[in-house]
Amino acid sequence: QVQLVESGGGLVQAGGSLRVSCAASGRTFSSYEVGWFRQAPGKEREFVATIKWNGVNTYYADSVKGRFAISRDSAGSTVYLQMNSLKPEDTAVYYCAARRGVYTANYHVTPNDYGYWGQGTQVTVSS
């Protein structure tokens, strides 16, 4: 079982950058796919990005493609979401999530695909 702890949220002006982190407690992400989701007030939780168990293969929502980058450290214990060119519509609580699985071809983009969740970190982008 893996526990997830997010950090790095905050307030930033439109056009700025922010990096949020998701640390694994208890084990590494070497056998997990890790995804980032976000939820704005009054809206459903939506997929942002995911990275495969190998720490290499990634997939992004169209709304963030080219602006956000997901990565994992060499130890396999922390996943990052680097957010550039931020827009006010990126304002949300950002959650990382994990699911066990290796050698799977599909990327998982719905919340129900993931069994482990962090507590969330607030990202606010001012105009």
Side-chain angles (χ1 to χ4, degrees):
Q1 186 170 345
V2 64
Q3 294 178 320
L4 310 178
V5 180
E6 296 116 334
S7 61
L11 173 65
V12 64
Q13 288 188 333
S17 298
L18 204 61
R19 188 178 77 166
V20 291
S21 303
C22 175
S25 176
R27 57 183 62 220
T28 68
F29 289 128
S30 59
S31 58
Y32 291 82
E33 179 176 349
V34 179
W36 282 97
F37 289 79
R38 65 186 182 186
Q39 188 166 20
K43 295 188 176 182
E44 294 186 352
R45 193 167 297 191
E46 66 172 358
F47 168 76
V48 176
T50 186
I51 187 165
K52 282 292 193 182
W53 61 275
N54 58 10
V56 175
N57 299 99
T58 59
Y59 183 74
Y60 297 90
D62 288 343
S63 59
V64 305
K65 200 173 296 182
R67 300 188 299 123
F68 290 13
I70 189 171
S71 62
R72 199 179 78 184
D73 70 352
S74 57
S77 60
T78 304
V79 169
Y80 304 99
L81 184 69
Q82 177 68 43
M83 302 180 288
N84 301 322
S85 302
L86 282 161
K87 306 174 182 179
E89 51 263 44
D90 294 319
T91 295
V93 177
Y94 282 71
Y95 298 90
C96 68
R99 57 169 282 138
R100 289 186 63 87
V102 298
Y103 308 123
T104 57
N106 294 338
Y107 292 101
H108 297 88
V109 300
T110 62
N112 286 343
D113 291 332
Y114 293 81
Y116 304 97
W117 290 86
Q119 82 285 358
T121 185
Q122 177 70 47
V123 171
T124 303
V125 184
S126 63
S127 57

